[in-house]
Amino acid sequence: MSCVFCKIVRGELPAHKVYEDAETVAFLDIHPMTEGHTLVIPKLHAERLADLPPELAGKLFQTVQRVAGRITQALEAPALNIGVNDGRAAGQAVPHLHVHIIPRFPGDGGGSIHSILYKPQKRPLEEIHRLIADTL
Ligand code: 5GP
Ligand code: ZN
């Protein structure tokens, strides 16, 4: 398997790991957007969130919560952006599911998740709601 994050899991590539358990691992991003930018991944290779066995989704988010708390304390970060680029069109470059934890500081010049894209809505909310809610 040539997946870089699988190689980090197996210890074949070095990484600054900050947390590890049986199912998940967290390590510093090699090109941090801010100090402490960390990635949390499942050890099992899954390209996207939809590919992750559902029983691991909760476990992954538990690790996100734990590591986020540790980063907040260690770096005295007053805020965090936590998110996933889920699929290439969303900007995913590494095809192994990973949750970004990005510490944020007042005046750091960054935006919120709303700054990813602004596209005026075309179809009415009711139509979109029907499309999505009906599949739940
Ligand atoms: P994506 O755009 O796929 O959501 O983000 C991938 C992230 O993985 C990027 O922020 C990038 O800096 C990070 N990354 C890519 N390759 C490596 C690596 O080999 N080691 C580490 N620690 N981070 C990596
Ligand atoms: Zn992988």
Side-chain angles (χ1 to χ4, degrees), residues 11-123:
E12 294 166 14
L13 263 185
H16 295 91
K17 292 181 182 170
V18 295
Y19 176 79
E20 181 165 12
D21 62 27
E23 291 100 3
T24 63
V25 58
F27 51 90
L28 298 182
D29 193 295
I30 203 165
H31 298 302
M33 292 174 65
T34 63
E35 286 181 357
H37 181 177
T38 298
L39 304 174
V40 182
I41 67 169
K43 286 186 169 178
L44 186 80
H45 180 86
E47 183 165 337
R48 296 186 54 181
L49 185 59
D51 302 321
L52 190 68
E55 62 274 17
L56 286 179
K59 179 67 218 183
L60 181 66
F61 214 71
Q62 269 178 24
T63 299
V64 169
Q65 185 186 44
R66 182 189 284 243
V67 173
R70 196 176 281 186
I71 291 170
T72 297
Q73 275 201 334
L75 300 182
E76 296 181 25
L80 306 164
N81 287 114
I82 297 173
V84 176
N85 293 325
D86 190 35
R88 290 186 65 165
Q92 182 175 6
V94 176
H96 182 134
L97 173 64
H98 49 282
V99 181
H100 292 263
I101 302 178
I102 303 164
R104 296 296 305 275
F105 300 89
D108 65 11
S112 77
I113 202 162
H114 294 95
S115 59
I116 292 172
L117 193 66
Y118 176 70
K119 233 180 172 183
Q121 190 185 339
K122 292 193 185 112
R123 289 187 277 180

